[in-house]
Amino acid sequence: MLGGTTESRRLVAADVGHGWISSVAGRTRQARAGGEGVRVGGFGGVAGLVDYLRAEGIGAVVNATHPFAATMTAHAFEACRQAGTPLVRLLRPGWADHPLAESWTWVDSHAEAARALKDAHRPLLTVGRQPLPHYRALPRAVARVAEHPGGVWPDGWEFIEAVGPFALDSERELLGAVDALVSKDAGGSDAKLVAAAEHGVPVVMIRRPELPDGSVVVADQGGVLAWLDALA
Ligand code: NAP
């Protein structure tokens, strides 16, 4: 299980029938704490993952990483191809078909999103911690992150350290105090998007990275278990 997401944790907890090994990158304190059946840290690129799959005799790989974990997704695809290990991508549905989708400004990159914020006085950034350097030129921003990125940020920046899912009421309060929202097309709870629409806050939405050609994709836990059954 390539994890680091709510889906991956839920699936492994719910399915005791398979001998899961969960792998996390170890970006957060919670992830670094590890736990039973959890390995922490990168594999060392494609070659490292191929070695790992062979050494551990891994029978199948479920890539349940975040929809924007593009490097891990590409590495898993290539490593499983080389090792001959079956691979499935668990990818929750995105928001491209959301009823509000046409009201958002869709962009392909964080650089483009940052440019789209030129008229915002207090934008809310919900893009995670790693892409924040792309937004550094903004004099003011509210960045919601699981953990503070450290380092020095412009005086007008505020950080909210919090982990979702977030309730609609608290999203309403937060969105009422900003004048733009940047989000990745992560899928999952749309509370912040509903709250933004209620307050007339413009949304900049970053498109998902493309999947490797030939990826086998399922949308939920049931899809993974059916895929595993079919393998067996
Ligand atoms: P990424 O850019 O696709 O991956 C960068 C490198 O981190 C990979 O090449 C790999 O190192 C290592 N890595 C990533 N996921 C791993 C895993 N599950 N197990 C072991 N190594 C892993 O990924 P990211 O965007 O930095 O995300 C890192 C982790 O945070 C993922 O597990 C993801 O599910 C979780 N996460 C990401 C986001 C997001 O917005 N991107 C949001 C929530 C959670 P090697 O090349 O050395 O193997």
Side-chain angles (χ1 to χ4, degrees):
M1 171 64 72
L2 298 173
T5 53
T6 310
E7 289 95 320
S8 63
R9 285 186 287 276
R10 282 195 186 142
L11 204 164
V12 170
D15 175 50
V16 289
H18 294 97
W20 292 102
I21 300 173
S22 294
S23 175
V24 296
R27 301 265 191 271
T28 60
R29 274 188 295 274
Q30 186 196 358
R32 281 189 295 277
E36 201 187 324
V38 179
R39 65 162 299 288
V40 183
F43 296 95
V46 172
L49 183 51
V50 172
D51 289 347
Y52 178 85
L53 295 173
R54 290 187 173 139
E56 295 292 326
I58 302 293
V61 176
V62 176
N63 174 12
T65 57
H66 189 271
F68 280 72
T71 305
M72 188 69 253
T73 294
H75 287 184
F77 188 83
E78 181 55 22
C80 286
R81 192 190 65 75
Q82 288 183 25
T85 310
L87 167 71
V88 71
R89 176 68 167 121
L90 170 56
L91 195 61
R92 63 179 101 124
W95 290 316
D97 297 325
H98 192 282
L100 294 166
E102 284 185 18
S103 68
W104 306 329
T105 300
W106 287 83
V107 297
D108 285 315
S109 66
H110 292 286
E112 212 183 320
R115 284 196 293 277
L117 295 175
K118 62 181 186 331
D119 295 328
H121 295 289
R122 194 164 187 260
L124 173 63
L125 310 177
T126 59
V127 294
R129 178 182 44 176
Q130 291 182 76
L132 290 181
H134 292 283
Y135 300 87
R136 202 181 248 291
L138 299 173
R140 280 172 303 280
V142 181
R144 182 163 68 189
V145 287
E147 273 176 33
H148 193 286
V152 180
W153 295 85
D155 286 345
W157 276 53
E158 297 160 52
F159 287 88
I160 299 174
E161 288 185 69
V163 177
F166 303 102
L168 184 54
D169 279 350
S170 59
E171 295 299 70
R172 281 187 175 124
E173 197 176 323
L174 181 58
L175 270 297
V178 298
D179 64 353
L181 168 66
V182 185
S183 172
K184 300 194 275 200
D185 179 15
S189 165
D190 65 350
K192 64 183 170 185
L193 304 168
V194 171
E198 287 176 3
H199 285 292
V201 169
V203 173
V204 179
M205 185 65 73
I206 301 170
R207 283 191 191 86
R208 287 184 169 193
E210 288 189 7
L211 289 171
D213 277 349
S215 295
V216 177
V217 183
V218 297
D220 54 25
Q221 187 169 314
V224 172
L225 297 179
W227 178 80
L228 285 170
D229 281 350
L231 277 187

